[in-house]
Amino acid sequence: MYPELGQMALILALLLAALLSVVPLVGSVTGREQLQAFARPLTAGLFVFVALAFALLTHAFMTDDFSVAYVANNSNSLLPWYFKFSAVWGGHEGSLVLWILMLAGWALAVAVFSKQLPTVMVAQVLSVMGMVTVGFLLFTVLTSNPFDRILPNIPQDGADLNPLLQDFGLIIHPPMLYMGYVGFSVAFAFAIAALINGRLDAAWARWSRPWTTAAWAFLSLGIALGSWWAYYELGWGGWWFWDPVENASLLPWLSGTALIHSLAVTEKRGVFKSWTVLLAIVTFSLSLLGTFLVRSGVLTSVHSFASDPERGTFLLALLAITIVSSLALYAFRAPVVHSRARYAGLSREVFLLTNNVLLVASTLLVLVGTLYPLVLDYLDMGRLSIGEPFFNLTFSPLAVAAGLLMGAGIFSRWKNTDGGWLGRKLLWPLAISTVFTAAVMVVYGEFKPWAFAGTFSASWIVVATFWDIWEKSASRKGRVHGLRRQTRSYYGMVMGHLGMAIVMAGATIASNYGLERDVRMSPGDQAEIGGGYQAVFTEIGNRRGANFTAEYGRFEILDADGRLVSVQYPEKRQYLVQRSVMTEAGIDGGLFRDVFIAVGERVSDDAWAIRLQYKPLVRWLWLGSIFMAIGGFLAISDRRYRLKIKAEKPAKQSAVDGTDASRTPAGVTS
Amino acid sequence: MHPIRKKRLTIVLFLVVGVSVAVALTTYALRQNINLFYDPSQIAAGEAPVDVRIRAGGMVEEASVIRDPESLKVEFKVTDFSSSVLVEYTGILPDLFAEGQGVVAMGRMDGRGRFVADQVLAKHDETYMPPEVNDALEKAAENRARQAETSASY
């Protein structure tokens, strides 16, 4: 009976979402406040029913109700309870329910934390979110009902969760990623609402900003978790493959990063409005595109489940409707907004504009690389794939350029920056980063141009950022007072940029100085890993887990002096239900290097293929992402977002400007 | 020129430069990194270019996997049941690699009819068949049906 209740809850949620997408919007157009006031209660109702459906689906998993087809396909009575829980979103239908739950959750959050917003705005924003929810609920109810039953022949036991997904990383990776994807729907809804009522101003940007930053922070974490999971579970030590599914999550991240920067300009200076709105639309469209690519079965990967052409068509239609209607609205309404603010050729505005150009260029690049093979295949013009070198070759220069820009941009001022002054400011960071980068090259023992560029760029950001903090925190009342005086959004930016620098350093060093060897080893053999480490294969054995049997190797990792660093037990698991084989690596992790051992196939009676890897700074990739996310959340907690907006002040005196000692008069000097 | 126009011009120039740099880089990189797929019949017919990185795929032929006793070198045949091609690879094969399974390999033809792979991909579950391999098998089956007398070649 519970599954039927779940289905009813989904249908009721669909009805509420339909009401939500119509009633408050009509109210806002006709100016009837009674209708607008329906927005919040309808949102709450929508959330309650979606949450109920999710809870009932979870209940079906927890109680091993294999009469539900989705449970039977994705769970098994042998699974530990936490994997039964994460199996709720281990397949297509359940992950959609999770997606919708997030969407309803974000809408509820908007309804609750929007006390300072005008009622019309709230009504429109929630209506737009209602429309998005209708699309996804219709998709679920019509093509992917998670509560379908297998009756009367109920299976004895489930087909089990894909062993790849039986991992802690998967418990948290999809929810984080979805929080990000779906969170951009709020930015999208704000953009659409602004287009409808023509209110595209600094206040709009200020309302939209924390939501966008929150979504971005979640997405950063989600992508990092995915990369971490691939690293230890899937990829034999690789952390980014430029796989279409990874690209699908990177695309909204790149344009979302552009969006949060362009929103900053719109909030502080009231310019780039049309561009910001367009970016908000593009970012959410890319989130939908990602969902389409991953869920429709046009791609084949661990993320795409049983494909069904009907689903792909539905998602494509949903994507097309969203893009076409929002761009049409944009075309009709965007020219209305124009700005008077002026800025010069070397202002912070222009730095951020260049940042946007770089980010959009890299978005296009990844988009082309991802879609090109799909389009050619669809047109029957041949099957091809675009290799990692394409992305590495084109993405790296853009990343380095963005890093250089970031370091210089932090000193720039709104409206205008004196070029000579900026040049003098950058001298010391330039000198320090060059010396530091040279030192890094010496430590790793080899000069490589890309390693130099990446490391330089990363240290340039770090030095410039700390230089800026040092100058801004100068105060007559002492350094501590000066540090305290800075706003949280400033520290958010600092954390975000430092995070980016850490990711760049990690990516550069790990890919340029990492070592990887596949060797043939028998118990008793010793082999060199790299970085001065040795691996001794001492024994091989068998063990049994809850739902698998495993063959494990025991490896001692020795350092250059022959001292024991750690003992690792990498294993090869045979999962009992699906009869599939999984490799579990043994990783000795550290802040400055990982030593990675994985057991491959048995190549003869007493020998195994063993992969040995030395990965310097690889953890920095995920550490940096955590920094970025913390930066995002810090920025959201800034005081000014919690203030009631009474009178619109020209947002000149922003905290990010810091001291205005050297600000030159406004004007166009280029 | 009017200052606002001048500023707009700067922005437009920025965009044009950015876009053209991106387009130039993209086309350059694309030209170098497109990996076309060839099935065993095409390779046997000599259609695959020598020493260009390509992808090849098919089913791993039964009883064709030969391991080198000293190293990680392994040889196997990939077939579409009409023709087969010898693949040479050094390294760790994926967990789901097995005789009778579909695989896709990246690598180069060495000029003597051998495919030297630097990467072998088998997919995440055993019921899954790479779409390229599926197409290749269907195509080969069609050809065999068409020329029934030559079907004894396998």
Side-chain angles (χ1 to χ4, degrees):
Chain A
M1 191 193 74
Y2 285 122
E4 279 69 34
L5 275 181
Q7 189 163 3
M8 299 253 289
L10 277 184
I11 292 169
L12 279 172
L14 176 60
L15 292 176
L16 287 174
L19 283 176
L20 176 62
S21 55
V22 175
V23 176
L25 191 65
V26 169
S28 78
V29 174
T30 57
R32 291 172 64 183
E33 295 217 349
Q34 311 96 292
L35 293 185
Q36 295 172 20
F38 272 109
R40 286 200 174 94
L42 279 174
T43 307
L46 171 64
F47 179 78
V48 166
F49 282 105
V50 174
L52 183 65
F54 186 82
L56 288 168
L57 187 60
T58 311
H59 177 260
F61 270 93
M62 289 302 177
T63 54
D64 293 326
D65 185 352
F66 297 121
S67 71
V68 177
Y70 179 66
V71 179
N73 290 333
N74 288 287
S75 186
N76 183 276
S77 54
L78 286 178
L79 271 184
W81 72 268
Y82 42 89
F83 288 144
K84 281 181 186 167
F85 180 58
S86 70
V88 172
W89 53 83
H92 170 80
E93 291 87 347
S95 63
L96 263 174
V97 176
L98 178 69
W99 172 284
I100 295 167
L101 179 71
M102 301 267 171
L103 193 55
W106 277 100
L108 186 70
V110 173
V112 172
F113 299 111
S114 59
K115 297 281 185 287
Q116 78 277 38
L117 256 62
T119 324
V120 185
M121 192 80 179
V122 176
Q124 286 171 342
V125 168
L126 290 177
S127 264
V128 175
M129 296 198 68
M131 291 177 205
V132 178
T133 319
V134 167
F136 276 91
L137 274 170
L138 263 181
F139 181 49
T140 310
V141 172
L142 294 182
T143 72
S144 330
N145 183 1
F147 296 106
D148 271 349
R149 295 265 208 175
I150 312 175
L151 291 173
N153 297 318
I154 300 171
Q156 286 294 305
D157 209 334
D160 205 3
L161 180 64
N162 184 344
L164 272 174
L165 307 182
Q166 296 184 25
D167 181 82
F168 175 71
L170 185 91
I171 301 180
I172 46 177
H173 161 59
M176 283 293 162
L177 200 62
Y178 286 6
M179 279 297 273
Y181 268 179
V182 180
F184 284 128
S185 69
V186 183
F188 172 76
F190 268 100
I192 296 296
L195 283 176
I196 293 175
N197 62 23
R199 199 181 160 172
L200 263 180
D201 50 17
W204 163 77
R206 183 171 321 153
W207 296 327
S208 172
R209 230 180 136 183
W211 299 102
T212 314
T213 311
W216 174 86
F218 279 118
L219 188 60
S220 307
L221 279 181
I223 296 175
L225 279 167
S227 150
W228 178 57
W229 174 62
Y231 171 71
Y232 71 82
E233 181 81 19
L234 184 66
W236 291 88
W239 44 270
W240 193 262
F241 300 91
W242 296 109
D243 176 273
V245 174
E246 290 172 325
N247 293 348
S249 68
L250 187 65
L251 285 169
W253 188 86
L254 288 170
S255 71
T257 310
L259 176 61
I260 58 179
H261 288 91
S262 137
L263 268 172
V265 185
T266 308
E267 187 201 341
K268 298 292 183 195
R269 302 280 304 135
V271 289
F272 301 176
K273 290 171 190 166
S274 314
W275 173 244
T276 307
V277 168
L278 186 61
L279 268 182
I281 294 172
V282 166
T283 304
F284 184 59
S285 303
L286 288 173
S287 295
L288 290 183
L289 177 73
T291 315
F292 166 71
L293 287 179
V294 175
R295 288 285 173 260
S296 64
V298 294
L299 301 175
T300 39
S301 87
V302 65
H303 297 80
S304 47
F305 309 114
S307 55
D308 176 349
E310 192 188 334
R311 289 175 180 168
T313 317
F314 196 110
L315 275 177
L316 196 59
L318 207 61
L319 181 65
I321 291 171
T322 313
I323 295 178
V324 170
S325 55
S326 52
L327 286 185
L329 187 65
Y330 179 79
F332 282 115
R333 302 288 297 188
V336 176
V337 293
H338 61 93
S339 58
R340 290 167 184 286
R342 295 183 175 186
Y343 50 89
L346 205 64
S347 57
R348 178 165 279 195
E349 287 91 326
V350 170
F351 271 99
L352 286 169
L353 181 69
T354 318
N355 142 305
N356 267 239
V357 170
L358 290 174
L359 282 166
V360 170
S362 42
T363 310
L364 285 175
L365 209 89
V366 177
L367 192 67
V368 167
T370 311
L371 293 187
Y372 187 65
L374 293 176
V375 171
L376 279 195
D377 182 29
Y378 182 75
L379 298 176
D380 229 6
M381 286 166 66
R383 284 194 186 274
L384 53 84
S385 71
I386 291 177
E388 286 178 38
F390 165 74
F391 294 101
N392 292 337
L393 191 69
T394 50
F395 200 77
S396 311
L398 288 171
V400 169
L404 296 179
L405 190 75
M406 213 187 286
I410 199 159
F411 294 118
S412 68
R413 309 276 175 211
W414 295 112
K415 291 181 188 166
N416 195 5
T417 315
D418 180 28
W421 173 83
L422 185 64
R424 283 191 297 282
K425 266 233 167 334
L426 293 174
L427 272 180
W428 273 109
L430 178 70
I432 296 172
S433 321
T434 312
V435 171
F436 177 77
T437 309
V440 170
M441 300 290 105
V442 170
V443 167
Y444 285 106
E446 192 185 348
F447 174 83
K448 293 181 178 182
W450 276 118
F452 188 89
T455 314
F456 177 83
S457 198
S459 62
W460 168 257
I461 298 171
V462 173
V463 175
T465 303
F466 279 108
W467 201 272
D468 189 58
I469 297 178
W470 185 255
E471 290 192 338
K472 282 214 170 79
S473 63
S475 162
R476 253 176 271 118
K477 294 186 198 160
R479 193 58 66 181
V480 178
H481 176 79
L483 285 173
R484 277 216 192 122
R485 208 180 49 189
Q486 304 305 319
T487 58
R488 287 205 196 165
S489 70
Y490 174 72
Y491 283 118
M493 179 196 76
V494 164
M495 287 291 277
H497 285 185
L498 289 179
M500 192 65 237
I502 296 170
V503 171
M504 276 179 89
T508 306
I509 300 295
S511 48
N512 280 288
Y513 297 106
L515 297 166
E516 176 185 315
R517 299 181 61 208
D518 289 348
V519 291
R520 181 191 173 99
M521 289 178 91
S522 304
D525 285 357
Q526 179 163 352
E528 195 189 331
I529 302 172
Y533 292 97
Q534 299 276 330
V536 185
F537 184 10
T538 53
E539 61 174 275
I540 191 113
N542 289 294
R543 74 179 190 96
R544 222 193 124 86
N547 51 355
F548 61 85
T549 56
E551 185 177 51
Y552 68 87
R554 183 178 180 279
F555 286 83
E556 289 173 359
I557 299 173
L558 309 176
D559 66 9
D561 303 327
R563 279 188 303 253
L564 183 69
V565 178
S566 80
V567 178
Q568 293 300 326
Y569 298 90
E571 58 188 40
K572 209 155 202 60
R573 289 183 183 171
Q574 175 100 38
Y575 281 82
L576 303 172
V577 179
Q578 297 196 343
R579 312 292 319 160
S580 53
V581 181
M582 284 286 311
T583 303
E584 294 283 318
I587 304 173
D588 179 44
L591 186 57
F592 292 100
R593 58 105 191 94
D594 272 19
V595 176
F596 182 108
I597 301 176
V599 180
E601 77 269 21
R602 188 173 195 156
V603 289
S604 73
D605 284 346
D606 64 340
W608 280 260
I610 308 290
R611 172 160 296 180
L612 303 172
Q613 284 179 305
Y614 165 70
K615 297 243 157 204
L617 301 199
V618 70
R619 303 225 150 199
W620 288 32
L621 287 162
W622 311 303
L623 184 72
S625 312
I626 293 172
F627 264 63
M628 282 195 252
I630 292 174
F633 292 122
L634 258 181
I636 305 167
S637 70
D638 192 85
R639 250 184 102 244
R640 72 177 189 285
Y641 296 128
R642 296 195 299 272
L643 293 178
K644 280 216 186 272
I645 298 153
K646 286 184 184 128
E648 267 315 307
K649 278 181 292 181
K652 203 160 53 184
Q653 202 62 40
S654 81
V656 185
D657 287 339
T659 57
D660 51 359
S662 50
R663 184 186 286 158
T664 47
V668 177
T669 55
S670 64
Chain B
M1 216 192 294
H2 194 276
I4 288 183
R5 290 226 183 111
K6 195 166 175 182
K7 195 173 67 196
R8 282 197 187 137
L9 189 69
T10 341
I11 293 174
V12 169
L13 279 178
F14 248 122
L15 286 173
V16 169
V17 169
V19 167
S20 37
V21 166
V23 168
L25 274 170
T26 312
T27 34
Y28 170 73
L30 264 181
R31 206 174 301 159
Q32 305 221 316
N33 293 297
I34 282 180
N35 312 118
L36 287 163
F37 180 84
Y38 292 89
D39 58 40
S41 295
Q42 286 172 311
I43 293 175
E47 287 175 33
V50 171
D51 212 25
V52 172
R53 197 153 187 263
I54 57 169
R55 293 196 304 156
M59 306 296 277
V60 181
E61 206 169 292
E62 298 288 344
S64 74
V65 180
I66 304 163
R67 287 184 189 282
D68 182 89
E70 297 303 314
S71 68
L72 288 179
K73 204 157 120 185
V74 58
E75 283 180 2
F76 53 90
K77 283 184 182 154
V78 165
T79 181
D80 57 7
F81 303 115
S82 290
S83 314
S84 61
V85 57
L86 189 66
V87 178
E88 186 187 304
Y89 174 71
T90 305
I92 296 182
L93 290 164
D95 290 338
L96 290 170
F97 178 90
E99 290 177 353
Q101 288 277 349
V103 290
V104 172
M106 300 272 283
R108 296 161 195 274
M109 294 303 300
D110 69 351
R112 287 172 299 157
R114 287 154 73 94
F115 185 78
V116 182
D118 51 51
Q119 205 181 4
V120 175
L121 309 163
K123 285 297 173 171
H124 306 291
D125 66 88
E126 58 240 64
T127 51
Y128 173 78
M129 177 72 78
E132 298 94 330
V133 175
N134 213 14
D135 284 0
L137 295 185
E138 278 173 15
K139 217 168 75 187
E142 271 172 34
N143 286 339
R144 276 199 306 274
R146 217 173 291 146
Q147 345 168 281
E149 70 274 20
T150 52
S151 67
S153 66
Y154 168 66

